[in-house]
Amino acid sequence: MNQRCVVVQYLLEQHFDNDIGKMAKTSGYLPKAIKEWIDGLVIPNHTTISLLQGLIFTPEFSVVEEFYEIDSSKQILTQLKEMQQKGSERN
């Protein structure tokens, strides 16, 4: 079995409670496609693996400062911390 298929199976088991429907809902991929990947019938491409990892490892967050302008020339983490602090000061 291809290594990418094994990675999809691992991500399904560890982060989606081995529930293809849950992975499909979160990722937007069809359950049939996911089943074919974990069965080794179709090899997922690199972009698919990256997207799945991004969905898992990128935390969701809520807006803490409405209309905060992000400056692409500056470090994003510093800006997010500033945005969070401004949001906290309002609460």
Side-chain angles (χ1 to χ4, degrees):
M1 183 180 292
N2 184 278
Q3 291 176 343
R4 290 183 192 159
C5 295
V6 173
V7 170
V8 172
Q9 176 66 42
Y10 174 80
L11 296 175
L12 178 69
E13 291 172 2
Q14 296 298 312
H15 299 284
F16 296 99
D17 304 319
N18 210 26
D19 183 342
I20 290 175
K22 188 175 180 181
M23 180 183 261
K25 184 178 179 183
T26 302
S27 69
Y29 288 109
L30 294 174
K32 180 181 182 225
I34 296 168
K35 178 91 169 101
E36 289 174 345
W37 296 333
I38 59 175
D39 289 344
L41 301 174
V42 176
I43 299 171
N45 63 36
H46 175 73
T47 305
T48 299
I49 300 297
S50 295
L51 178 104
L52 291 172
Q53 290 175 327
L55 291 170
I56 293 166
F57 300 118
T58 303
E60 293 182 33
F61 58 91
S62 59
V63 175
V64 292
E65 174 66 18
E66 192 171 14
F67 304 116
Y68 186 87
E69 189 170 331
I70 300 291
D71 184 345
S72 61
S73 67
K74 296 180 181 177
Q75 291 288 328
I76 187 70
L77 186 57
T78 303
Q79 294 180 75
L80 291 174
K81 286 179 182 178
E82 290 171 1
M83 179 176 37
Q84 183 180 22
Q85 184 178 17
K86 285 183 179 182
S88 297
E89 290 171 357
R90 288 185 173 188
N91 295 333

